Amino acid sequence: PLVYAIFVSPPSFDLRSLGANDSKLQTEEQREAFYQAIMQRGEDQLGWRTAVISPRTIAQAMESESGEENLNTLSYNTVYELIAGLLEAGVSIEHAYVDTLGKAETYQARLKARFPTIPAFTVRSKADSLFPVVGAASIVA
């Protein structure tokens, strides 16, 4: 399956000191330590949601005769649903940091058009290594 996560943190919360980083660069023990740290220290300031795209859904999309569904479309829609879910829950998003799918500039423009109430988006390749909040989402996923 593909697992996506969105992580919410106030800018002042130091996620890096708790170990937030690209999960692929961490051991299982480091990921578990980070998860335990956020559970203990950030209950009232931190939040996250996850979404799973099952192998069956991926296979069905790839076999679709219409060609309208593909892995990128599934991924975009999952990210859109995660962001929309936060907004619907009343979470105020001042700046969203996102790991890219395809060209960063194109994806950033898509996100801005889709969510005009969010003041800023930063879409970068390897964002999970660059921005602690994306690294935190990587670990939660």
Side-chain angles (χ1 to χ4, degrees), residues 2-9 13 15-16 18-26 31 34-35 38 46-52 79 82-83 86 95-100 126-141:
L2 285 175
V3 180
Y4 285 83
I6 191 166
F7 198 93
V8 179
S9 170
F13 198 96
L15 290 168
R16 187 75 75 195
L18 297 181
N21 198 357
D22 180 352
S23 65
K24 295 179 293 300
L25 301 176
Q26 296 183 318
R31 292 189 301 270
F34 174 79
Y35 188 78
I38 63 173
L46 307 176
W48 58 89
R49 288 187 179 198
T50 59
V52 178
V79 172
L82 285 168
I83 293 171
L86 287 179
H95 197 137
Y97 296 88
V98 182
D99 205 350
T100 194
K126 305 210 183 293
D128 44 3
S129 295
L130 300 172
F131 306 107
V133 72
V134 184
S138 173
I139 293 169
V140 170

Side-chain angles (χ1 to χ4, degrees), residues 45-119:
Q45 298 181 54
L46 307 176
W48 58 89
R49 288 187 179 198
T50 59
V52 178
I53 303 175
S54 72
R56 171 172 273 162
T57 300
I58 294 167
Q60 288 172 340
M62 301 306 282
E63 294 171 357
S64 169
E65 290 183 25
S66 69
E68 293 176 15
E69 284 285 331
N70 60 43
L71 192 53
N72 281 347
T73 302
L74 286 173
S75 297
Y76 288 131
N77 290 338
T78 302
V79 172
Y80 297 155
E81 289 170 13
L82 285 168
I83 293 171
L86 287 179
L87 294 173
E88 290 168 10
V91 175
S92 174
I93 302 172
E94 296 299 320
H95 197 137
Y97 296 88
V98 182
D99 205 350
T100 194
L101 291 166
K103 285 188 68 174
E105 299 81 16
T106 303
Y107 191 21
Q108 188 165 312
R110 282 181 170 191
L111 288 164
K112 285 182 180 182
R114 183 85 175 225
F115 301 103
T117 62
I118 298 176

